[in-house]
Amino acid sequence: MALMPEAGLDITAPETSPASGSWASPGVRYVVRRILAAVATLIFVVLFNFFLFRMLPGDPVKLYTRGRNVDPEQVRKLTAALNRPLGQQFLDYIRNPFAANVDSVKYSQPVWSVIGERVWPTLLLVGVATLIATVVGVWLGIRSAWNRGERFDRISTNTTLVLYSMPEFWLGMILLIVLGVGVFGLPGLFPTGGLSTPGVDTSSLRGWLDVAWHLFLPVTTLAIVYLAEYSLVMRASLIDEMGQDYLQTARAKGLMDKLVRRRHAVPNALLPTMTLIFLNLGFVVGGAITIEYVFSIPGLGGLTVDALSGPDVPLLQALFLLFSAAVILANLIADLLYARLDPRVRT
Amino acid sequence: MSVRLPRIMSLIVGAAVVSAGLIAGAAQADTASPSPAASADAKATLTVGITQDIDSANPFTGIVASAYEIYQMQYPTLTNYSAQDFSIVPGLADSWQESADHLTWTYKIHSGLKWSDGEPMTAKDAAYTFNRIINGEYEQTNYGNYVANITKAVATDDTTLVLSVKAANPIMTHLSIYILPEHIWSKVSEAQVKTYKNEPVDGQPVVGGGPFVMAERRVGQFIRMTANPNYAGGPTPIREVVFRVFQNQDAMGQALKKGEIDFADGIEANVAKSLEGIPGITTVNATYSGFNEVAFNTGAALSDGKPIGDGNPVLKDLKFRQALSWAIDRQTLADKVYGGAATPGSTIIPGMYPAYHLTPATPYTFDPEKAKSLLEAAGYKAGSDGVRTGPDGKPIELRLFGRTNSANSKQVVQFVKGWFDAVGIPTTVTMKSEDALTEIIGQGTYDMFEWGWVVEPDPDYQVSTFTCGQRSYEDAGSVLAGLSDSFYCDPAYDKLYAAQGSETDQTKRSDIVKQMQQMVYDAAPYIVTVYYNNLEAYRSDRFTGFVPQPSPSGSLLFQYGVWSYVNAKPVSSAGEGTQPADGSSGSSPGWVIPAGVLVVLIVLAGLVGWLLKRGRGGEAADDRE
C-alpha cells in the first residue's frame, strides 16, 4: 500500500500543513513523510498484533501437558501464569513490544533468542535465492523483450511460464529425488536436507563449503520459482517501453542499439520490477515455508508454523512484529528509491 | 564485437557461478569421504532420522518425545524398564528396599561410578536431584507427580540413597527422574534453570552419566551424541549417534534410501510401504503403547459437579453408549485407515503392557443389528425415516469432531459417521485443529470426538484421566480443562484409583487396575478403536543387534530405556578399513562425484556453446535493424 505514493499520505498529513514549502525542500519533505508513514504503520501493527493472536483458539498448557505426568497443581500454576487479565498483559506488552526477556511458551527461551537461531538459515536461503533470481530474471526479461518473438524469447518465455506455474513443493521434491538421492543408477550429488554436516565446524572454509553444498538444491528451487516472476514482469514492462516514441528518437539520433536499451529503455522499464523486488525483499525474513519443509531447513517459516500450534503467543507476536517491520522497511526503501528513479514521485 | 563481449561475459559469469556451486559440492564430497575414515570408526556412527526436533536439552524444560530420548541416553535413572516386558530392573541402583511401614525407601547405588567428565557419580548426586525437584518451583513442572509423595532425599553415604515418603506408593520402584551431576547443576540457580540450555559449550560435551552425551547441537538440524567414556556398562559398539531432523516424512524416507541416515522412526504407512523390499533396508511394524478412541461427552461438568457445555443428553445414558459400542468395526479401521499397522482396541491399557492390560471377557464386536436392537430396547425408537428419537421425542443428531492435524483422524471420523448413520443415529462430522478441539473438549461443547493417548508403562496417569477430580475446573471466572475428556465420573472408580495408588504389591495393584479397566469398558465413555503400531525402518546392511521393547515385536528405538543404543552394532564386513568411502554414512562412493561433475560440466559446456551461437544470431538480427 505504501508503494502507491498518493495513498497513505493523509495519515501523516498534519506536519505538512502549517508551513508547507517553507521549512524544507520538497525532496526532504517527501522523505520525512515516508518515514513517518512507515512509523505510523508499524505502530498500528504493534497494536493489532496483540489482539490478533489472543483470538486464536487453544489452551497451550493443556496441549503441552497432554499425555504427560504433570502434577495437576503445576498445570494450574502454568495456566494461571498464561491467563493473566488481558489489560495487564496489554500493559506488559505495550511497555516494550521488543522486550528481550519475554519467554516463548514452547521453548522456554527468550523469544528473540529463539528467533535469532532461526533467522540466519532463512536469510541465507531466501536472500541468496532472491539475489540470484533478480539478476538472472531481469537479465532474461530484458533479453526476451528485446528479441521479442525470436527463438530465445520463445524458449525463455515458455520455460519461465512453465516454471512459474509449478508448485515449489513439487519442484523441490523432484530436485531432491533426482539430484539429492539419484535416479537410474546415477548417484545423488547433494544432501537431502539440513544446512550442515554434523561435526563440521561452520566457521571454517570447509564449513562454508559444506553450507553451500547443503543450500544448493533449496536455493536453486527457490530461485527458479522467483526467477520466472521477475523475468515475465521485466519482459512485459520493457515491451511496453519499446513502443514509446522517445526510443525511436534515440535510435533516430543514431545511438547504438545496445545504448538505446541500456540508457533509455531499461531504466524506465525497471520501475515495476523494482516494486516487485522490494515487495519480495520484505518477505525474505518470512522465509519460504514450503522450501524449508521440503529440505528440512530450520528457518523462520517452519518456526511460525510451530508457534501456531499451541499457540505460542509470545513467539508468534515477536515473529509477526519482525515480519511486519521487514515489509514496512522494504516498502520504505522502495518508496525512497522510487523517488530517486522517478522524479515525478517526489512532488 | 563490442556488442558481443558483455553477453559472453555474463555467460562466463553464469557458468562460473554454477561451477562454483559444483566445485563446492565436489570439495565437500571430497572432504566428506575421508573425514569418517579419519574419525576412529565411521561405521560406528548411527544416524537416526526424526521428524521432531528436541524443544530443549534441559530435562527440566523439554516436553517432546525426542527430547526425552536424549535425556535417557544422557542421564541414568535409579531403575530401568526391561526390554523384555517392562519389568523393573536395576539402573543406577543395584537394589532397593521398602521399609515395613512403607514410609522409607532405601536404594543401593552402584559404587565406583563416574560422570563423563571423570567426577565421581554417587548417591549424593541422586539426593541432590531429588531435593532440587522437591524444593524447586520450576523443577516440579516435569517431575512433580513423581515427587509429590516424597518428603526428602538423603544420601547416607556414597552408595545409599534414602527417600522418605508420605504414604505407600508403587511409583517408588520406577521413578523416571534423570539423575543429574550435582557439580554442574548446583551452579545453575533456581532463577536460571528455566532458560538454562544444557548444551555443549566451547566444544565440550554436556556432562552426563548415561551411555551417550550431547557433543553438538544445531537447532532444527541435528543433535550429535558421543559415547560416554566413563559409561558404567562399558564401551558401546556404537560410538556416536546423530539425530537428524527432517521436516517431512518423504524426505526422511529418501534419506534412508540414499543411506544418509541409518534409522527412521515413527514413519507414516505410505513411506514405510515405499521402503519395503529395498535391499539393505528392513521395515519394522512394532507394537506400540498408543491407542485411538472415539470419546463421548458423558455429561460435562466441573470437578465440583456443576454442569457445563452442551453435550447431547442421550450420551449420558449408559445403554445408549453401549449400543453404539457395537456399531463400530474396529478391524476395518485397523486395516483400511492404518493399513494393517494397528490391531482392534478394547481397554485403556494397551496389550503391550501385559502386566496391567485387561482383555475383556465379552468384547464389543461389530454387530450393527445388535446395536439397533439395544437402542430399540433402550427406548430409542426409529422413525419412518430411520432416524431414532430421544426421550424428548426429538430426532437424535450427534456432532463428531475429528482432528485436521491427523490424516488418519479424517478417515476414522468418516467411517464412524457411516456406521452411526446406519444404526439410525445421524452424525455430523466437523474437523478442528487440535488446539481448537482441546478448548471445545474442556468446555464440554461436543458430543463425540476422535483422539488418542500414548500410555506409559505405569498405568497411574492413564487411569487417572477417568477420575471425577480430573474434570474441568473454574478459575478466575473461566472454565479450564482437566485431564478428563469424557467427563466420566464414578465414585467407586475413584476409590479404586486411590487404592491402586497406594498398593506396592504389583500383583494386587494389577488386579485393581484391571477392575478399573473393566468399569470403563462397561461404562463406555470411550470406544477404544485401535491400538496402533509404530513403524520404523533401518539400514540392516549397516547395523544389527537392535533390541525390541517389549520382546519380540516392540519398537527398536524410542523405548523406555536405551537398550538398542548400547547393544546395536555395525554390521561387520570383510572390506572394513580398505574401502573407507563405501557405506560411510552421508556420502556416495568416492568415484561418483568427479564423474558426475564431469558429466555436468560437459552438458554445461554444450549449453554455453549453443547459447553463444544463438547469441550471435540474435545480435546479427539486431544489427540489421
Side-chain angles (χ1 to χ4, degrees):
Chain A
M1 180 182 104
L3 274 171
M4 285 173 277
E6 287 81 14
L9 280 186
D10 293 335
I11 303 174
T12 53
E15 110 283 352
T16 61
S17 46
S20 60
S22 63
W23 59 278
S25 70
V28 173
R29 275 217 311 276
Y30 172 80
V31 169
V32 171
R33 275 209 306 268
R34 299 315 325 153
I35 292 176
L36 285 175
V39 170
T41 317
L42 189 65
I43 290 173
F44 170 75
V45 165
V46 162
L47 295 179
F48 182 68
N49 223 352
F50 177 82
F51 296 101
L52 179 68
F53 295 114
R54 276 160 184 79
M55 293 188 329
L56 283 175
D59 177 351
V61 175
K62 180 76 162 58
L63 195 81
Y64 294 159
T65 55
R66 186 180 161 92
R68 291 173 61 239
N69 209 343
V70 181
D71 191 18
E73 186 48 38
Q74 200 61 43
V75 174
R76 272 160 225 238
K77 275 185 202 158
L78 282 173
T79 316
L82 283 174
N83 289 318
R84 288 173 304 143
L86 206 63
Q88 197 189 333
Q89 288 187 43
F90 185 69
L91 279 180
D92 286 352
Y93 169 73
I94 208 67
R95 209 163 286 148
N96 182 3
F98 298 92
N101 59 356
V102 179
D103 288 345
S104 146
V105 181
K106 207 168 200 169
Y107 296 93
S108 301
Q109 292 285 322
V111 283
W112 292 109
S113 102
V114 173
I115 293 173
E117 280 171 334
R118 306 285 199 123
V119 81
W120 290 113
T122 291
L123 286 183
L124 260 181
L125 168 66
V126 192
V128 173
T130 308
L131 202 71
I132 293 178
T134 309
V135 173
V136 179
V138 167
W139 179 81
L140 270 182
I142 294 173
R143 244 340 90 150
S144 304
W146 211 253
N147 305 319
R148 181 149 64 126
E150 288 176 25
R151 192 149 126 199
F152 183 91
D153 179 39
R154 284 204 310 275
I155 293 175
S156 152
T157 307
N158 286 330
T159 315
T160 43
L161 267 176
V162 168
L163 294 176
Y164 190 45
S165 45
M166 232 182 240
E168 48 194 64
F169 173 83
W170 183 79
L171 179 66
M173 212 59 214
I174 297 285
L175 284 178
L176 187 146
I177 290 171
V178 173
L179 291 175
V181 180
V183 283
F184 308 122
L186 287 170
L189 288 172
F190 298 96
T192 54
L195 263 183
S196 55
T197 307
V200 173
D201 177 13
T202 38
S203 56
S204 64
L205 173 67
R206 206 184 127 202
W208 277 97
L209 287 173
D210 185 53
V211 171
W213 183 49
H214 278 81
L215 272 176
F216 187 88
L217 287 184
V219 164
T220 307
T221 314
L222 202 53
I224 285 177
V225 175
Y226 283 169
L227 177 154
E229 199 182 351
Y230 294 141
S231 145
L232 290 176
V233 170
M234 189 64 213
R235 177 177 179 273
S237 53
L238 187 55
I239 285 175
D240 272 356
E241 289 300 325
M242 279 164 70
Q244 304 284 336
D245 293 340
Y246 69 90
L247 285 192
Q248 288 305 330
T249 315
R251 285 206 183 92
K253 280 195 296 187
L255 273 185
M256 257 190 301
D257 197 56
K258 187 189 71 172
L259 287 179
V260 173
R261 190 175 71 209
R262 202 163 66 194
R263 291 202 193 140
H264 296 273
V266 169
N268 285 316
L270 259 180
L271 287 174
T273 317
M274 288 290 293
T275 312
L276 190 67
I277 290 169
F278 276 94
L279 262 181
N280 281 347
L281 265 188
F283 289 113
V284 160
V285 284
I289 294 178
T290 42
I291 300 292
E292 286 175 18
Y293 176 79
V294 172
F295 293 101
S296 304
I297 288 174
L300 291 181
L303 186 67
T304 313
V305 176
D306 257 12
L308 270 169
S309 84
D312 191 339
V313 173
L315 185 55
L316 274 179
Q317 230 164 236
L319 280 168
F320 275 74
L321 209 52
L322 177 70
F323 297 160
S324 330
V327 172
I328 292 170
L329 185 72
N331 272 354
L332 179 65
I333 296 175
D335 277 355
L336 299 181
L337 266 182
Y338 235 64
R340 180 109 193 103
L341 289 175
D342 184 354
R344 281 170 302 178
V345 174
R346 254 174 272 166
T347 48
Chain B
M1 193 61 199
S2 62
V3 182
R4 208 156 58 215
L5 236 174
R7 189 168 296 190
I8 295 171
M9 283 300 287
S10 51
L11 277 171
I12 289 173
V13 170
V17 168
V18 175
S19 317
L22 286 167
I23 288 162
Q28 175 49 43
D30 261 2
T31 48
S33 326
S35 83
S39 71
D41 190 350
K43 295 196 157 192
T45 297
L46 176 73
T47 306
V48 179
I50 52 177
T51 45
Q52 182 178 43
D53 189 17
I54 66 172
D55 48 351
S56 170
N58 176 347
F60 290 122
T61 295
I63 56 171
V64 303
S66 52
Y68 280 77
E69 189 76 345
I70 304 292
Y71 306 153
Q72 65 175 355
M73 289 170 85
Q74 193 157 275
Y75 300 112
T77 45
L78 290 176
T79 57
N80 290 323
Y81 288 108
S82 74
Q84 182 69 28
D85 57 3
F86 298 96
S87 55
I88 310 299
V89 295
L92 192 59
D94 290 329
S95 63
W96 47 96
Q97 190 68 50
E98 184 188 21
S99 68
D101 62 359
H102 301 292
L103 295 182
T104 313
W105 287 76
T106 307
Y107 301 83
K108 272 297 174 195
I109 307 294
H110 200 80
S111 64
L113 299 175
K114 278 184 185 149
W115 292 104
S116 58
D117 61 352
E119 294 286 318
M121 173 161 65
T122 68
K124 292 199 178 82
D125 292 298
Y128 168 80
T129 308
F130 277 96
N131 285 324
R132 173 141 205 177
I133 298 169
I134 294 165
N135 304 321
E137 171 86 4
Y138 181 73
E139 288 87 337
Q140 295 226 350
T141 319
N142 279 354
Y143 307 98
N145 240 20
Y146 293 113
V147 301
N149 188 43
I150 305 174
T151 52
K152 65 171 195 260
V154 178
T156 51
D157 58 51
D158 276 359
T159 59
T160 313
L161 172 73
V162 180
L163 299 179
S164 310
V165 295
K166 293 176 197 157
N169 193 325
I171 197 78
M172 298 304 289
T173 60
H174 46 277
L175 293 161
S176 293
I177 288 180
Y178 304 108
I179 306 301
L180 306 173
E182 180 176 5
H183 66 281
I184 302 289
W185 286 82
S186 58
K187 291 176 205 148
V188 182
S189 74
E190 168 90 42
Q192 295 167 321
V193 70
K194 185 181 173 193
T195 51
Y196 181 63
K197 285 191 162 185
N198 198 32
E199 286 175 17
V201 179
D202 299 331
Q204 289 302 305
V206 174
V207 175
F212 292 89
V213 288
M214 186 186 290
E216 191 185 5
R217 179 186 178 205
R218 294 257 166 79
V219 173
Q221 293 189 56
F222 61 82
I223 301 129
R224 189 163 63 87
M225 313 282 292
T226 53
N228 168 6
N230 298 324
Y231 176 54
T236 51
I238 292 175
R239 302 309 293 161
E240 200 171 83
V241 179
V242 172
F243 291 95
R244 247 188 74 182
V245 183
F246 288 88
Q247 287 179 24
N248 77 93
Q249 289 261 346
D250 296 305
M252 185 163 82
Q254 294 293 340
L256 185 75
K257 221 180 263 181
K258 183 185 175 188
E260 272 184 32
I261 59 172
D262 306 305
F263 199 106
D265 184 78
I267 50 180
E268 287 163 2
N270 59 333
V271 176
K273 207 151 274 170
S274 77
L275 293 169
E276 268 164 22
I278 294 178
I281 292 181
T282 298
T283 52
V284 181
N285 191 347
T287 318
Y288 190 60
S289 55
F291 71 77
N292 263 69
E293 87 270 352
V294 170
F296 296 120
N297 183 343
T298 67
L302 301 178
S303 50
D304 60 12
K306 182 181 156 199
I308 55 165
D310 61 0
N312 193 319
V314 294
L315 288 167
K316 289 183 185 168
D317 183 0
L318 169 69
K319 292 201 170 93
F320 184 84
R321 300 196 302 264
Q322 284 175 333
L324 288 189
S325 299
W326 292 94
I328 285 190
D329 186 352
R330 295 161 183 81
Q331 187 67 52
T332 293
L333 291 180
D335 293 342
K336 295 272 163 59
V337 179
Y338 291 85
T343 50
S346 56
T347 51
I348 53 170
I349 306 294
M352 177 165 137
Y353 302 123
Y356 294 103
H357 168 71
L358 171 82
T359 308
T362 48
Y364 301 112
T365 51
F366 179 50
D367 191 344
E369 289 313 311
K370 180 157 185 170
K372 282 184 201 164
S373 64
L374 284 175
L375 285 167
E376 239 8 86
Y380 301 98
K381 305 285 183 210
S384 54
D385 54 355
V387 174
R388 293 178 190 281
T389 49
D392 56 1
K394 285 190 193 142
I396 299 170
E397 188 171 5
L398 297 181
R399 296 161 292 170
L400 170 63
F401 290 104
R403 295 167 296 136
T404 47
N405 308 49
S406 154
N408 286 348
S409 181
K410 288 172 200 163
Q411 298 184 49
V412 169
V413 289
Q414 287 306 330
F415 272 109
V416 171
K417 175 191 159 53
W419 291 321
F420 285 180
D421 284 352
V423 296
I425 308 292
T427 302
T428 328
V429 163
T430 312
M431 300 304 293
K432 290 278 178 188
S433 73
E434 291 187 351
D435 294 328
L437 188 53
T438 301
E439 194 155 292
I440 289 169
I441 295 169
Q443 308 298 318
T445 50
Y446 68 97
D447 295 325
M448 308 181 287
F449 67 86
E450 183 275 353
W451 209 330
W453 291 91
V454 175
V455 184
E456 296 180 347
D458 187 281
D460 186 282
Y461 180 77
Q462 198 56 47
V463 293
S464 82
T465 63
F466 289 95
T467 55
C468 302
Q470 284 292 357
R471 292 175 296 174
S472 297
Y473 60 98
E474 209 160 5
D475 190 45
S478 47
V479 172
L480 300 168
L483 284 177
S484 174
D485 51 12
S486 64
F487 296 93
Y488 171 81
C489 173
D490 182 343
Y493 180 90
D494 283 12
K495 211 168 274 174
L496 288 177
Y497 174 69
Q500 67 82 32
S502 59
E503 182 54 72
T504 51
D505 182 300
Q506 206 212 296
T507 322
K508 286 185 193 158
R509 184 179 181 218
S510 167
D511 285 343
I512 303 172
V513 170
K514 283 179 180 171
Q515 271 186 63
M516 297 170 80
Q517 289 173 73
Q518 187 67 55
M519 285 181 81
V520 170
Y521 194 65
D522 291 340
Y526 273 8
I527 297 175
V528 176
T529 50
V530 296
Y531 301 129
Y532 56 88
N533 292 352
N534 180 30
L535 297 174
E536 302 177 311
Y538 68 100
R539 300 292 313 205
S540 43
D541 55 349
R542 290 195 196 149
F543 288 92
T544 178
F546 294 98
V547 180
Q549 183 192 46
S551 186
S553 58
S555 297
L556 301 186
L557 292 185
F558 291 82
Q559 311 170 329
Y560 291 93
V562 291
W563 302 107
S564 283
Y565 297 112
V566 298
N567 284 302
K569 52 182 182 291
V571 170
S572 58
S573 76
E576 198 173 349
T578 56
Q579 291 168 292
D582 179 42
S584 63
S585 104
S587 68
S588 329
W591 59 268
V592 207
I593 306 296
V597 171
L598 200 69
V599 170
V600 175
L601 280 179
I602 290 170
V603 172
L604 204 69
L607 201 71
V608 167
W610 179 78
L611 274 175
L612 273 179
K613 209 171 143 220
R614 291 301 319 148
R616 271 194 210 101
E619 212 59 58
D622 281 349
D623 291 341
R624 273 197 299 274
E625 260 182 69

